[in-house]
Amino acid sequence: MGRASAIALVGVQGRVIEVEAHLTSQLPGFSIIGLPDAALGEARERVRSASAVADCPLPARRITVNLTPASIPKRGSGFDLAIAMAILGAEGIAPEVSRDVAYIGELGLDGRVRPVPGVIPMVIAARDAGVERVVVPVGNLEEALVVPGIEVLGTASLRASAITAGALLPPVDIEPVLPPAALDPVPRVHDLADVIGNAVGVRAVIAAAAGGHHMFLLGPPGAGKTMLAERLPGLLPDLDAEAALEVASVRSVSGLGNQSWSVRPPWEAPHHSSSAMALIGGGSGLLRPGAVSRATRGVLFLDEATEFPRAVLDALRQPLESGRITIHRSVGSAEFPARCQVVLAANPCPCGNAGSRGGPLCSCSPSTVRKYLGRISGPLLDRIDIRVAVPRVTTGTIRATEGTAPTTAAAAEHVAIARQRMAERLRGTGWSCNAEVTGPWLRSEGRAEPGATTALDRALDFGTLTMRGWDRVMRLAWTMADLGDVSRPGADEVRRALALRSAL
C-alpha cells in the first residue's frame, strides 16, 4: 500500500486528501475511486505515460487508487503527481513516499510536471493540516514560496520527484514547464493632481480611501468620473501580510500564477455586459471567483453602472454587507472573500445631459430619466456611503481650481495618518477601517459628541434616512474626524458626512 497527500480545492479553501494506491495480482487494470471528475479520471493515461518516460513503468497488475475522504468531490488535474507517487510507493520504487508529504501538479505525457492554478490556498491548507512538506511544479514554486511556515520544494518531472523520494534512478536534466512572463506586473498609479475642477469629488475620493467607503459618482459624460475612480487605488495603503495572502489566494485560484502576490490593493473594472456569474463567481464545474472576489481588499469599479442589468447589480447587495460571497451549485458550494470598495459611475440619463448647467439640453422625458436611474435599486444605493455629483468642467472652473488638487503622494500620506488613527482606536475589535464597524458600536463606544446627530435623528424620524443609512453616515463622520485629527465626531463632521451622502 502506498500513501501520499494531495489537496482538494473548493473555492479558496483547501482540504488535504489522502491518496492510497493498492496493487493486486489480478488482471491488469487502473481505476480511481473517491468522487473524481472527468479531468481527474483521465489521470490514468497521464500517469501511465509519464511513469514509462520516467523509467519506472506501471506494473502489469490491478491498480486501485482511492482518494479519501471519499465524500469530498475532487476536481482537476492537480492530483496527477500525488497519484503517481502513491503508486511508486506501493510498488517499492519510491520508498520514502508518505502521507506527510503533499504533492501538487499535473503530469504531461513526457513526464514533466506542469503548473496548476490555486497553489497558494493549497499550500496554506497543507500547512494548517500539519503536512511537513509540499512538492509543487517548478512553474508554481515562486508562487508557493509566499506562504510562510512550511517547507516547499519544486519539481520539474515525475522522475525528479521519484529520486527525491528514494528511487534509485540516475538523474536526467529536464527543462521545466514555466508559466508565461508577466507583461505588466506593476500597475500604473494615476496622480490625483491631474483632476481639475472637481474639488468635491477629490474630497470624496480621499474620504473613501481613508475609511474604506463605497462611492457613487453621477455626472455627464466627460466630467471626470472615471478619472476620479482610477485615482482611488493609489491612495490606499499597502496590504499587510494577512491581507496580501488572502488576495494572493484569490488571484492564484484565478490562474494568475507567479503574478498572484502583490502588496498593492487590486483593481477590477468589469465591462457593463458582464453576467452575474462573471461579477459574483461560479461555474458549472470548478467554481471560480468573480470580479467582486478578485477585487477583495481593493477596488471594484463599475463604470456605466446603469448599463448593467439590474439583477447583476443587485447580486452585490449581500457581499457589500457581509464581505463574503457563498456560491451554491449542484456540484457543491464554495465561499469566496468579497471585502472590497465598490465605486459606481453613471450618467444622469441616456443622453447624459440631465441636470447639466450651461450644456446641451436633455432630450429625455422625466419618465425615461427615472427608469434609467431606477436600474440602480434603492436597497443597493442605500449601501453606498458616498454619493457625489460630478459636474461638467468649464474654462472658468479650470482657471479657478487648476493646481489646487493635492498630489497622490500627499493625499496618500494623509490617508495613511487617518488609517493609523483608526487602527489604534479599533485595535482588538477585528475591524481595520471605519467602513467595517457595526451599528451597536456606533451607538455605544463610537457615539458622536452630544447633540451632533440631531440632523440624522430628524431624517430617521421623517423616513428620509434608513437605519442602515444612519449607520453609514456615522461611519463616514468618523472618517471625517480622523482626516481632521478630531478625537470624536462633532456636529461639523456629521454635517459633512451627511452632505457627501446626499450630494446628488
Side-chain angles (χ1 to χ4, degrees):
M1 179 78 73
R3 290 183 173 87
S5 291
I7 310 295
L9 199 61
V10 180
V12 291
Q13 303 296 322
R15 175 74 180 269
V16 175
I17 301 298
E18 184 176 347
V19 181
E20 301 173 321
H22 186 225
L23 309 182
T24 63
S25 56
Q26 300 174 4
L27 291 176
F30 192 163
S31 60
I32 300 175
I33 59 177
L35 289 183
D37 69 348
L40 181 50
E42 294 170 350
R44 297 187 299 268
E45 305 307 323
R46 293 192 294 268
V47 170
R48 191 184 302 277
S49 178
S51 298
V53 173
D55 292 334
C56 44
L58 300 184
R61 301 168 65 183
R62 176 69 182 176
I63 302 173
T64 302
V65 175
N66 181 39
L67 308 176
T68 183
S71 59
I72 299 177
K74 291 86 178 176
R75 302 182 180 89
S77 57
F79 292 82
D80 290 2
L81 183 59
I83 292 173
M85 294 303 296
I87 295 174
L88 296 182
E91 197 176 356
I93 295 178
E96 297 179 16
V97 173
S98 73
R99 67 183 71 183
D100 295 327
V101 181
Y103 295 91
I104 301 170
E106 174 187 333
L107 290 177
L109 299 182
D110 56 359
R112 293 190 295 174
V113 182
R114 300 178 177 275
V116 294
V119 164
I120 290 179
M122 290 182 185
V123 176
I124 293 175
R127 179 198 64 186
D128 295 344
V131 175
E132 297 177 357
R133 182 189 308 157
V134 178
V135 179
V136 302
V138 170
N140 290 126
L141 182 59
E142 180 181 347
E143 177 185 0
L145 287 174
V146 305
V147 181
I150 189 171
E151 182 183 1
V152 180
L153 300 178
T155 183
S157 64
L158 176 59
R159 186 187 188 95
S161 299
I163 293 173
T164 303
L168 300 178
L169 298 171
V172 176
D173 290 334
I174 296 179
E175 183 179 356
V177 181
L178 299 177
L183 299 178
D184 187 14
V186 181
R188 176 172 173 262
V189 176
H190 302 275
D191 201 320
L192 190 63
D194 297 337
V195 179
I196 298 175
N198 281 319
V200 175
V202 170
R203 289 197 297 271
V205 169
I206 294 175
H213 304 285
H214 307 305
M215 184 167 58
F216 179 35
L217 303 172
L218 182 70
K225 303 183 295 295
T226 302
M227 191 177 190
L228 284 167
E230 288 177 341
R231 276 133 186 89
L232 178 56
L235 302 179
L236 298 177
D238 289 344
L239 303 174
D240 58 27
E242 181 182 355
L245 195 58
E246 181 184 34
V247 172
S249 296
V250 177
R251 290 164 62 92
S252 178
V253 172
S254 300
L256 292 183
N258 294 337
Q259 304 174 44
S260 299
W261 179 263
S262 175
V263 297
R264 292 300 304 152
W267 162 270
E268 289 287 330
H271 191 261
H272 60 256
S273 61
S274 300
S275 64
M277 185 180 298
L279 192 64
I280 299 302
S284 57
L286 187 62
L287 299 180
R288 295 288 189 182
V292 68
S293 296
R294 295 194 302 272
T296 192
R297 306 287 183 170
V299 179
L300 174 65
F301 177 47
L302 303 182
D303 199 5
E304 304 295 344
T306 46
E307 299 298 334
F308 281 81
R310 178 166 176 167
V312 174
L313 290 178
D314 282 345
L316 291 173
R317 286 156 57 174
Q318 182 263 338
L320 291 188
E321 288 291 329
S322 64
R324 305 197 69 81
I325 178 70
T326 302
I327 301 170
H328 296 273
R329 295 292 184 269
S330 60
V331 295
S333 62
E335 186 178 75
F336 297 99
R339 191 171 297 282
C340 62
Q341 289 183 247
V342 175
V343 179
L344 306 177
N347 296 327
C349 66
C351 75
N353 297 318
S356 296
R357 297 179 180 178
L361 295 177
C362 177
S363 59
C364 306
S365 65
S367 61
T368 301
V369 174
R370 286 195 302 271
K371 183 178 179 181
Y372 185 74
L373 292 178
R375 297 179 185 179
I376 302 177
S377 66
L380 175 61
L381 196 59
D382 196 38
R383 289 166 166 84
I384 305 299
D385 303 357
I386 300 175
R387 309 171 190 173
V388 175
V390 183
R392 195 186 304 273
V393 179
T394 64
T395 55
T397 56
I398 292 176
R399 294 192 185 98
T401 60
E402 188 172 10
T404 58
T407 64
T408 291
E413 184 177 355
H414 196 193
V415 167
I417 295 173
R419 286 283 183 121
Q420 182 61 34
R421 291 174 57 87
M422 294 176 206
E424 294 174 358
R425 182 175 63 252
L426 301 176
R427 183 178 291 112
T429 63
W431 305 316
S432 59
C433 60
N434 291 331
E436 299 175 3
V437 302
T438 61
W441 183 88
L442 291 169
R443 288 179 286 278
S444 55
E445 299 98 317
R447 60 183 178 275
E449 294 288 348
T453 62
T454 302
L456 286 185
D457 298 339
R458 187 181 300 112
L460 182 63
D461 292 338
F462 288 157
T464 58
L465 193 68
T466 65
M467 195 66 239
R468 180 192 291 118
W470 192 99
D471 291 345
R472 292 189 175 275
V473 172
M474 282 307 304
R475 293 171 185 171
L476 188 54
W478 268 108
T479 300
M480 296 291 104
D482 290 326
L483 289 171
D485 196 16
V486 178
S487 60
R488 190 174 292 272
D492 187 48
E493 286 73 32
V494 173
R495 280 196 298 269
R496 284 191 286 152
L498 186 59
L500 281 180
R501 182 174 174 84
S502 55
L504 294 182

